[in-house]
Amino acid sequence: MTEGDAGTGDSASPRGSDIARAALAAARQAAQSGPGARKKRVVPRGTAGGTSRARRRWSGPGADERDPQPFGRLASRIAVDRGWQRNLSGGQVFSRWATLVGADVAEHAKPVAIKDGELTVQADSTAWATQLRLLQRQLLVKIAAGVGRDVVRRLKVLGPAAPSWRYGPRHVPGRGPRDTYG
């Protein structure tokens, strides 16, 4: 290729930009000559009647994505965009616990943690822990109906928390301070 050939293209094979320009011109022609087409005044860019890219376009009387949005809609859109949907659904289990499982169960058990689809629930007595283990399937169905499927797939029921006698990094092995309780 010589210096004289660098600026000229082969007229037999058009470039991609030439094909795009031709397609755009054909689309504009079809839009102007189609049924119900309005005649549009063509004004070159940069002149007084033309539109520039910096000029603000108003949304008009109809709804538009640039209009003010309710906060809840914006928050849910951000949650979906960033992948927070599963964490928020897990948080609903905690906030709506009494309505999901019923007032009677909520009075004697509370959710502690949710991790990888496993909800850990702590009962206030061993009898209620046994009862929750028996009601496990029904509770999972109620939770899935309230917050969605696959948020909670398993239920881990813990009994009441016993006091720990191990304080500090060093402790004496044994049965604990049994002699102080008479």
Side-chain angles (χ1 to χ4, degrees):
M1 182 185 283
T2 63
E3 277 185 46
D5 293 340
T8 62
D10 188 11
S11 62
S13 61
R15 286 195 264 158
S17 59
D18 296 332
I19 295 171
R21 279 192 200 98
L24 180 61
R28 284 184 180 158
Q29 182 67 24
Q32 290 177 355
S33 64
R38 294 186 289 162
K39 288 293 183 185
K40 217 174 169 186
R41 185 175 69 125
V42 178
V43 179
R45 278 188 190 253
T47 59
T51 59
S52 68
R53 291 179 190 225
R55 182 175 173 182
R56 174 151 185 185
R57 297 191 53 180
W58 301 98
S59 65
D64 192 10
E65 71 271 359
R66 296 174 291 176
D67 290 340
Q69 302 289 320
F71 183 71
R73 186 179 304 153
L74 292 175
S76 65
R77 188 180 304 156
I78 290 171
V80 169
D81 290 345
R82 296 191 180 189
W84 296 342
Q85 206 60 12
R86 183 172 294 277
N87 293 340
L88 291 175
S89 297
Q92 284 185 359
V93 173
F94 289 91
S95 65
R96 298 175 45 201
W97 178 249
T99 58
L100 290 174
V101 298
D104 196 28
V105 174
E107 185 179 340
H108 297 285
K110 64 178 181 177
V112 177
I114 186 168
K115 184 176 180 183
D116 298 331
E118 182 178 58
L119 176 66
T120 305
V121 177
Q122 185 168 17
D124 60 357
S125 70
T126 55
W128 269 101
T130 304
Q131 185 68 20
L132 290 176
R133 287 184 190 106
L134 293 174
L135 294 173
Q136 184 172 1
R137 289 186 192 257
Q138 290 88 353
L139 293 176
L140 287 173
V141 168
K142 287 181 180 181
I143 292 170
V147 296
R149 296 187 60 184
D150 294 333
V151 175
V152 177
R153 294 184 302 271
R154 292 178 308 278
L155 198 65
K156 180 180 179 183
V157 180
L158 302 176
S164 174
W165 301 108
R166 294 184 175 208
Y167 295 109
R170 298 180 186 170
H171 59 274
V172 177
R175 299 178 68 176
R178 294 171 21 110
D179 60 342
T180 59
Y181 291 109

